[in-house]
Amino acid sequence: MKKNDKGVLTRPPGIEGKIDIALAQDWATLSRRTRETNPRSDDLLPSECLVHLIRDAIRRGDDRVARVLMPQLLKRAEANLERTVPDSRIRNAESIRHDILSDLAMMFTQDGTEGHEGELDFYECKFLRALRFLRIDHVRKALVKRKELTDLPQTDDGEGEAAFDDEMLARLSRMASIGPSQENALYLPEVIAALDRLPAHQKRAVILRRIIGHTEDETAKIMKVKGRTVRGRLRRADKQLKTLKEDL
């Protein structure tokens, strides 16, 4: 059990026991277990367990353990990012994935130093959820910088969380609400859940036009359709959401 600024963090059931077992195992056994990838195998080291073992090895100055375990953890993170930040859906996706992995690796090098004392606690308790938040932050920064949409796929991140999820939409909404367009401010949090249930082409039109703030011509160009198609998709989305004002 660990704490952060939001309170108590707890590990998934069974993780504490797996950590205790791994810490007591000899190097040959532990090294073998790091190569196990079958999720049904008892030998599989959960990502939360890997985080703890790496942190422990770094604190003890055991470079051998850290050098073997770290690549395995980063490989898992990379596999997740290839699904959730795919090349087919976002420009410079490879660069974004590299930045995320670099940030994750940097957290281990800074672990325990001033200002970074508990930065990895969340990863040690809920690895995929913590990675998800890190991913969202990087993608949001890319959106702000390029003003383009990352229409991430509706896939599962391993914890039942959609890759293009409510948190992503909420962040986009908060980002847009401080912009110059008054129409953005009408997108209140209660719209988010309904928005994510729209057909993909309607949702993308709403996000591009109403949340990010692209013009109709820009939206049409990004979606590779005509302006009247964008207007039609927005009309159908507005009717389904039933929460938008007529002047939108």
Side-chain angles (χ1 to χ4, degrees):
M1 182 179 298
K2 294 182 177 291
K3 293 184 178 181
N4 67 358
D5 57 354
K6 295 182 179 180
V8 176
L9 293 170
T10 57
R11 295 189 179 100
I15 294 297
E16 294 281 357
K18 290 180 183 293
I19 288 174
D20 291 340
I21 291 173
L23 287 172
Q25 288 178 327
D26 59 71
W27 171 242
T29 301
L30 189 61
S31 180
R32 174 180 57 78
R33 293 187 65 190
T34 64
R35 297 189 293 273
E36 179 59 64
T37 58
N38 184 356
R40 293 186 176 85
S41 173
D42 291 336
D43 278 343
L44 179 72
L45 289 167
S47 296
E48 292 84 1
C49 186
L50 282 176
V51 173
H52 182 89
L53 293 174
I54 295 168
R55 296 178 81 184
D56 176 71
I58 292 174
R59 292 186 187 118
R60 292 186 290 101
D62 192 337
D63 293 338
R64 179 180 61 170
V65 173
R67 283 200 307 268
V68 171
L69 298 187
M70 179 66 78
Q72 298 300 323
L73 183 69
L74 293 178
K75 188 182 297 184
R76 294 184 188 184
E78 184 176 21
N80 177 277
L81 294 174
E82 286 176 349
R83 295 193 304 272
T84 55
V85 188
D87 294 323
S88 60
R89 300 299 182 94
I90 181 170
R91 187 157 56 96
N92 295 335
E94 184 178 5
S95 177
I96 294 173
R97 293 195 299 267
H98 176 75
D99 288 345
I100 295 171
L101 292 173
S102 294
D103 273 9
L104 180 58
M106 182 63 70
M107 289 182 197
F108 284 92
T109 66
Q110 297 174 331
D111 189 32
T113 62
E114 185 175 357
H116 303 280
E117 293 84 357
E119 202 168 34
L120 282 168
D121 288 355
F122 193 10
Y123 291 84
E124 192 172 320
C125 295
K126 299 284 185 180
F127 181 79
L128 284 177
R129 188 171 293 273
L131 180 63
R132 171 181 166 235
F133 289 148
L134 181 63
R135 180 187 78 227
I136 287 172
D137 282 342
H138 276 269
V139 173
R140 176 178 58 83
K141 290 174 183 176
L143 284 171
V144 173
K145 182 177 180 181
R146 301 166 191 158
K147 294 186 178 179
E148 66 180 29
L149 173 69
T150 58
D151 190 13
L152 296 180
Q154 294 287 356
T155 58
D156 191 281
D157 72 358
E159 286 197 342
E161 301 288 348
F164 190 54
D165 51 26
D166 288 351
E167 178 65 18
M168 170 71 82
L169 293 172
R171 284 171 181 261
L172 286 171
S173 181
R174 289 196 294 273
M175 179 184 75
S177 68
I178 62 175
S181 175
Q182 290 300 311
E183 68 180 11
N184 290 330
L186 296 173
Y187 267 79
L188 302 174
E190 58 265 26
V191 179
I192 299 303
L195 177 60
D196 201 35
R197 291 194 294 269
L198 288 173
H201 62 281
Q202 292 181 24
K203 179 172 68 175
R204 195 176 189 211
V206 170
I207 293 172
L208 284 168
R209 183 75 180 94
R210 299 276 172 69
I211 296 183
I212 296 178
H214 285 301
T215 65
E216 182 179 295
D217 288 344
E218 290 170 339
T219 301
K221 184 177 180 179
I222 292 171
M223 299 188 72
K224 298 180 180 180
V225 297
K226 295 182 178 180
R228 65 172 178 269
T229 301
V230 173
R231 292 195 295 274
R233 290 175 179 178
L234 288 174
R235 282 197 299 270
R236 290 191 291 276
D238 291 353
K239 184 177 180 180
Q240 184 168 335
L241 291 171
K242 297 180 181 179
T243 57
L244 307 178
K245 293 186 177 181
E246 292 183 359
D247 60 356
L248 285 179

